[in-house]
């Protein structure tokens, strides 16, 4: 994929960033206040393992959050979130009024102006931002900086959890269902995010994926069911919804068993990569 934009963190799909292998369990991490007043944030460890090039947070909104933000844009390379439960309503600079329920995702390109104006009290979401430290500029009519011009052709990408979004075999495994969350093209191939889903119609084969390694860094967040995984430098473990696993480029691993209802978010950096048996 041809590079069209320059990220301030410097890396490209041809010369991608990497991460350290690591794991954050669902129960790990302290809940603290953050950017949105009344919301609680749990750090998932990605900032530490990526040298600050990305940050991942689990967010709970609660009763105290009503209209969550002013109009704003971020001086960041990448901003994406996924609604686990509840609902987030937002307005976008191109006139969309969106209700994002459970299973919906949102990608915002750099300097994309938006406003979260309503959040349900039971709402939970995951957010991934790059880099970890960035500036948020508030105000409906605040001018954007000159750097925004190269991203002006990009718009927010919003996807929803509907059956027709899942395609069997649209990824490395012919027996899995995949849903593309639309980040590859606007990031010039830097970041691909998809959902991988198993089902009882065509379950995964015995033995799982077999030991293999990728020429990408990857991290994944199970959102339903469980998976047993063996990864280089890590103990064998069962991952469940809310756990967070990070694998550096070239780390050997094997997903050797999974529940029939397993579903996970998977992030691939870069979007195009090779897989080699180990």
């Amino acid at each position: 994929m041809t590079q069209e934009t320059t990220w301030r963190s410097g890396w490209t799909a041809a010369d991608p960033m990497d991460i350290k292998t690591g794991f954050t369990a669902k129960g790990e991490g302290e809940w603290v206040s953050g950017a949105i007043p009344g919301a609680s944030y749990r750090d998932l460890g990605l900032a530490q393992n990526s040298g600050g090039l990305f940050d991942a947070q689990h967010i709970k909104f609660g009763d105290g959050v009503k209209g969550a933000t002013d109009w704003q844009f971020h001086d960041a390379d990448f901003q994406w979130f996924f609604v686990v439960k509840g609902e987030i309503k937002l307005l976008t600079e191109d006139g969309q009024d969106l209700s994002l329920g459970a299973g919906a995702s949102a990608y915002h390109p750099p300097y994309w102006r938006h406003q979260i104006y309503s959040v349900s009290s039971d709402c939970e979401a995951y957010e991934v931002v790059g880099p970890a430290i960035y500036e948020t500029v508030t105000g409906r009519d605040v001018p954007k900086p000159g750097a925004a011009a190269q991203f002006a052709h990009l718009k927010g990408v919003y996807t929803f959890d509907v059956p027709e979004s899942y395609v069997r075999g649209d990824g490395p495994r012919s027996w899995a269902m995949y849903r593309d969350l639309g980040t590859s093209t606007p990031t010039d191939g830097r970041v691909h995010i998809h959902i991988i889903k198993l089902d009882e119609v065509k379950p995964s084969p015995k033995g799982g994926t077999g030991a293999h390694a990728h020429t990408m860094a990857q991290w994944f967040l199970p959102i339903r069911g469980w998976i047993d995984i063996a990864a280089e430098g890590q103990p064998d473990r069962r991952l469940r919804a809310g756990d967070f696993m990070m694998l550096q480029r070239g780390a050997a691993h094997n997903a050797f068993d999974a529940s029939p209802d397993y579903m996970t978010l998977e992030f691939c950096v870069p979007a195009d990569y090779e897989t080699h048996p180990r």
Side-chain angles (χ1 to χ4, degrees), residues 42-113:
R42 181 174 69 95
D43 179 44
L44 299 180
L46 184 58
Q48 179 179 352
N49 279 31
S50 67
L53 292 177
F54 275 100
D55 186 31
Q57 303 280 337
H58 183 186
I59 308 173
K60 291 183 178 180
F61 290 90
D63 293 329
V65 181
K66 300 300 181 184
T69 71
D70 192 355
W71 279 96
Q72 62 181 14
F73 62 81
H74 304 302
D75 184 10
D77 296 327
F78 181 90
Q79 193 234 354
W80 173 93
F81 66 85
F82 180 86
V83 181
V84 180
K85 66 178 183 177
E87 183 182 53
I88 295 175
K89 294 184 178 182
L90 76 158
L91 303 172
T92 68
E93 66 175 61
D94 63 343
Q96 297 186 75
D97 185 344
L98 299 166
S99 296
L100 303 179
S105 70
Y107 160 77
H108 291 155
Y111 310 104
W112 178 252
R113 206 185 308 265

Side-chain angles (χ1 to χ4, degrees), residues 2 35 37 47 59 67 78 85 89-90 101 108 116 121 127 167 177 185 202 218 225 229 245 266:
T2 302
I59 308 173
F78 181 90
K85 66 178 183 177
K89 294 184 178 182
L90 76 158
H108 291 155
I116 296 175
S121 60
E127 182 182 46
V167 180
M177 303 283 286
T185 296
K202 191 174 183 181
Q218 65 182 135
I229 188 166
M245 186 82 182
E266 183 181 51

Side-chain angles (χ1 to χ4, degrees), residues 1-7 10-15 150 153 185 187-190:
M1 186 175 294
T2 302
Q3 181 184 337
E4 296 182 1
T5 60
T6 300
W7 281 13
W11 62 277
T12 66
D15 184 19
Q150 66 169 314
H153 64 291
T185 296
T187 63
D188 298 336
R190 292 176 178 91

Side-chain angles (χ1 to χ4, degrees), residues 121-194:
S121 60
D122 64 339
C123 187
E124 292 188 31
Y126 293 115
E127 182 182 46
V128 176
V129 182
I133 298 174
Y134 60 94
E135 182 183 2
T136 297
V137 179
T138 60
R140 182 66 180 91
D141 301 312
V142 176
K144 296 181 181 181
Q150 66 169 314
F151 302 99
H153 64 291
L154 299 177
K155 296 182 180 296
V157 178
Y158 307 95
T159 75
F160 299 87
D161 188 24
V162 292
E164 56 267 29
S165 295
Y166 293 88
V167 180
R168 191 178 303 280
D170 191 27
R173 314 297 170 191
S174 62
W175 34 264
M177 303 283 286
Y178 294 86
R179 173 183 153 204
D180 185 356
L181 302 189
T183 62
S184 298
T185 296
T187 63
D188 298 336
R190 292 176 178 91
V191 183
H192 173 63
I193 310 174
H194 57 190

